[in-house]
Amino acid sequence: ASGPAPRRIADFQEVLSEPTVALAKLRDLCFSGIPFDGGLRCLCWKILLNYLPLEKALWSSLLKKQRDLYSQFLKEMIIQPGIAKANLGVSREDVTLEDHPLNPNPDSRWNTYFKDNEVLLQIDKDVRRLYPDMAFFQRPTDYPCLLILDPQNEFETLRKRVEQTTLKSQTVARNRSGVTNVSSPLKTTPNSLSEYEVLPNGCEAHWEVVERILFIYAKLNPGIAYVQGMNEIVGPLYYTFATDPNSEWKEHAEADTFFCFTNLMAEIRDNFIKSLDDSQCGITYKMEKVYSTLKEKDVELYLKLQEQNIKPQFFAFRWLTLLLSQEFLLPDVIRIWDSLFADDKRFDFLLLVCCAMLTLIRDQLLEGDFTLNMRLLQDYPISDVHLILKKAKELQDSK
């Protein structure tokens, strides 16, 4: 980052005050890290993730439209099914012969409801564990969703659904290449759900908001639905928007996160789709690319990893799929994402960051045996992301 903070903030404000934001200039500034001040990061991310257009005059109408649309999703996908379920307890005539809980017909509303529950249980398990080293996700949000938490409501919320449903979620064993089973030491998880304090009625924790975002995403994108690891992508986005110093933006963190997450997933979803693993757009191709780039930049290290049969799947799968969100502490992940979102080639820079991470520990890797090296790669030892980004930039410039 060049120059003292006030100068940098002024540079950002200048670009953002134009009637039409100059995207190339904005990308340049964001690439070197976005100041947190004045909600600059939240605003820049929304532009970089194509949620906000470059013409400022369109912002307020677009935001209103998208936030209304999100309320509509909540009504259709959480509130209405919840009302239908609650009513069944009251009146019997709703349970017609055509549609009842044991109806095997795939179009049955009940069938959908139970299928959704399997997805919901998987999401629930994952979001409760988000960044356990930080209290943020367990804390109550200042802006609980009033549509859902109105005390007049008798309908079933997602929280009640999870509590009441005893469906075992073993059907959702979609754990690909151990995205989550290699836990890094930073992330210790509470042993049982009882360690989470239950918030009083009318309150909801930030993780519950993330759960809703993922549930609605899964409902709207049945082709991919929910895959483990998506929680790690939505977490930093939501955290950034929900801590926006500007309260009128912060209030809409849920809807804004949903749309930015959807746009980001549109760019990286191929990494999550197993059937595309070996295609040009799939994750295997990208992992191989990390090694071919390494071969260009540091052939000795490349040969060493080859010789030890350390395949990129063993570590680069998680690095690439989760955009490094599991390798560093949240503030550092957010800093890395400034550069990734600013990359106009969309995540080519991520491959260089992975290469930089390898070359920065080359001496240890060249000396280590297979076991030692696997440990280094699965629990990456350098925590200074500025050093890593600087190295990645050098690799980029030396092309």
Side-chain angles (χ1 to χ4, degrees):
S2 55
R7 177 68 240 146
R8 270 188 65 68
I9 293 169
D11 291 343
F12 273 91
Q13 283 165 341
E14 191 183 324
V15 172
L16 293 166
S17 64
E18 293 292 320
T20 300
V21 176
L23 187 58
K25 275 190 197 163
L26 185 69
R27 284 190 194 280
D28 248 10
L29 284 171
C30 294
F31 188 81
S32 315
I34 307 169
F36 173 73
D37 311 68
L40 283 175
R41 175 174 280 126
C42 307
L43 182 54
C44 292
W45 279 17
K46 285 169 184 152
I47 296 170
L48 294 174
L49 291 170
N50 304 318
Y51 178 45
L52 286 178
L54 298 176
E55 292 76 32
K56 276 180 74 170
L58 302 174
W59 287 1
S60 60
S61 62
L62 175 119
L63 287 170
K64 182 177 183 331
K65 191 176 113 229
Q66 295 300 84
R67 290 161 180 175
D68 289 349
L69 177 61
Y70 187 75
S71 296
Q72 206 42 52
F73 292 156
L74 290 177
K75 287 178 189 147
E76 281 169 31
M77 289 171 222
I78 294 177
I79 296 176
Q80 281 166 358
I83 291 174
K85 178 88 187 321
N87 287 344
L88 286 176
V90 192
S91 64
R92 295 298 298 158
E93 54 271 27
D94 278 359
V95 188
T96 56
L97 291 171
E98 284 81 68
D99 203 11
H100 58 86
L102 300 176
N103 183 351
N105 175 358
D107 299 334
S108 146
R109 261 193 338 203
W110 280 106
N111 201 323
T112 312
Y113 181 85
F114 289 132
K115 272 212 167 38
D116 289 350
N117 276 355
E118 292 173 12
V119 175
L120 178 59
L121 283 175
Q122 180 66 56
I123 293 174
D124 189 73
K125 208 168 76 194
D126 292 346
V127 293
R128 285 172 187 265
R129 301 193 287 234
L130 260 181
Y131 291 95
D133 47 310
M134 288 176 64
F136 172 80
F137 286 97
Q138 307 306 324
R139 286 203 192 110
T141 161
D142 298 340
Y143 302 100
C145 179
L146 300 177
L147 271 177
I148 286 176
L149 291 181
D150 177 350
Q152 301 303 304
N153 286 341
E154 289 297 310
F155 70 83
E156 188 185 46
T157 58
L158 290 187
R159 188 201 295 193
K160 286 185 199 151
R161 233 169 124 160
V162 170
E163 285 164 5
Q164 290 171 6
T165 194
T166 49
L167 273 176
K168 298 285 173 282
S169 55
Q170 68 268 37
T171 40
V172 194
R174 291 206 199 116
N175 192 356
R176 299 182 42 213
S177 308
V179 174
T180 47
N181 64 7
V182 191
S183 62
S184 72
L186 299 173
K187 314 208 168 183
T188 47
T189 43
N191 307 333
S192 69
L193 297 185
S194 63
E195 292 182 34
Y196 292 103
E197 73 184 293
V198 175
L199 296 173
N201 273 347
C203 293
E204 55 180 353
H206 288 293
W207 68 261
E208 295 183 71
V209 181
V210 175
E211 176 167 271
R212 232 182 353 253
I213 292 169
L214 286 166
F215 182 71
I216 288 181
Y217 179 81
K219 289 281 292 169
L220 287 171
N221 295 275
I224 181 171
Y226 172 74
V227 182
Q228 232 173 356
M230 287 182 184
N231 55 315
E232 306 288 349
I233 300 281
V234 81
L237 284 176
Y238 174 73
Y239 173 81
T240 301
F241 295 165
T243 53
D244 191 326
N246 177 345
S247 60
E248 65 206 70
W249 288 78
K250 185 177 174 176
E251 184 180 344
H252 298 286
E254 179 176 350
D256 293 348
T257 301
F258 172 80
F259 290 108
C260 286
F261 171 69
T262 300
N263 290 359
L264 178 55
M265 281 304 298
E267 300 190 30
I268 61 171
R269 60 181 281 171
D270 294 350
N271 296 345
F272 287 92
I273 299 177
K274 193 144 181 43
S275 58
L276 290 177
D277 278 359
D278 298 321
S279 71
Q280 281 259 304
C281 51
I283 187 73
T284 309
Y285 177 75
K286 290 179 186 134
M287 290 190 292
E288 298 299 339
K289 196 107 196 275
V290 171
Y291 266 21
S292 57
T293 311
L294 179 67
K295 190 177 176 180
E296 274 168 48
K297 307 288 183 190
D298 189 336
V299 73
E300 188 188 0
L301 180 54
Y302 166 78
L303 291 171
K304 173 75 176 184
L305 294 175
Q306 287 288 46
E307 174 201 321
Q308 292 190 345
N309 204 14
I310 294 181
K311 295 186 171 23
Q313 292 80 305
F314 299 159
F315 60 93
F317 178 86
R318 191 176 73 188
W319 292 5
L320 294 167
T321 310
L322 304 182
L323 306 181
L324 296 168
S325 61
Q326 288 234 294
E327 313 315 310
F328 302 99
L329 292 168
L330 187 57
D332 295 325
V333 171
I334 288 171
R335 169 60 194 91
I336 292 173
W337 284 16
D338 287 345
S339 296
L340 293 185
F341 294 167
D343 172 19
D344 62 345
K345 298 221 177 30
R346 276 319 198 211
F347 310 119
D348 275 11
F349 189 65
L350 177 59
L351 300 173
L352 293 169
V353 174
C354 294
C355 262
M357 286 168 69
L358 294 171
T359 54
L360 285 169
I361 53 170
R362 76 183 300 269
D363 297 348
Q364 290 150 279
L365 289 170
L366 290 172
E367 282 167 26
D369 60 8
F370 176 86
T371 314
L372 203 68
N373 286 347
M374 282 298 294
R375 197 173 306 141
L376 279 173
L377 294 168
Q378 293 193 332
D379 178 18
Y380 190 74
I382 296 176
S383 57
D384 180 354
V385 296
H386 295 278
L387 180 68
I388 295 167
L389 290 168
K390 189 166 156 254
K391 182 71 184 165
K393 184 80 183 94
E394 282 167 20
L395 294 175
Q396 189 180 47
D397 295 342
S398 72
K399 278 205 150 160

